[in-house]
Amino acid sequence: MSKQQFKAQADICKKALDTLHKAIELDPVNVEEYEAGIAYTEGVMKASNAIVKACEIVEPTKKQKEEPKAEEAEIKSKKAKTTAKKSKPKEEPKPVIEVEPAPVEEKEAEDLFAMFGD
């Protein structure tokens, strides 16, 4: 039974107690029966109220326990996403092209010597 059902049970018991007390006033001959009904109804009402109180205490702790589990699941899913990412392949370095100096033309060499004269 849920917490609301026990609250409803306690409300029903309260109404039944009111009815039993009025019955004692109206029918004093059967007082013993009504008192037995009152004792039983009070016990049920106390039990129902105790269960409601217990539910109020236990339910928040259940939620607190569930929250870390939810956070752990979220963290695990984030980790899975980061590890699941494909890494880009490393690019191979481009080969260095060596450029050889252009051969000096003979004309330039002759011109250099021509400056000094023969």
Side-chain angles (χ1 to χ4, degrees), residues 10-23 37-38 41:
D11 291 340
I12 291 168
C13 289
K14 186 174 181 180
K15 290 177 186 176
L17 284 175
D18 292 340
T19 304
L20 288 166
H21 285 292
K22 284 189 180 187
I38 288 170
T41 305

Side-chain angles (χ1 to χ4, degrees), residues 4 29 34 89 106:
Q4 275 68 26
V29 176
Y34 300 135
E106 289 183 20

Side-chain angles (χ1 to χ4, degrees), residues 13-73:
C13 289
K14 186 174 181 180
K15 290 177 186 176
L17 284 175
D18 292 340
T19 304
L20 288 166
H21 285 292
K22 284 189 180 187
I24 289 174
E25 291 174 14
L26 299 173
D27 185 18
V29 176
N30 296 315
V31 171
E32 287 182 27
E33 289 179 29
Y34 300 135
E35 286 178 347
I38 288 170
Y40 172 79
T41 305
E42 285 176 343
V44 172
M45 189 170 76
K46 286 179 183 178
S48 296
N49 286 330
I51 292 169
V52 169
K53 185 176 180 179
C55 288
E56 290 172 352
I57 292 170
V58 172
E59 286 175 0
T61 58
K62 281 184 180 178
K63 288 180 183 177
Q64 289 173 353
K65 288 182 180 178
E66 290 173 2
E67 287 176 5
K69 289 180 183 178
E71 289 175 5
E72 288 174 11

Side-chain angles (χ1 to χ4, degrees), residues 69-89:
K69 289 180 183 178
E71 289 175 5
E72 288 174 11
E74 186 177 317
I75 291 170
K76 286 180 183 178
S77 68
K78 285 183 180 179
K79 284 183 181 179
K81 287 179 184 177
T82 57
T83 56
K85 289 182 182 177
K86 294 181 179 177
S87 59
K88 294 180 181 178

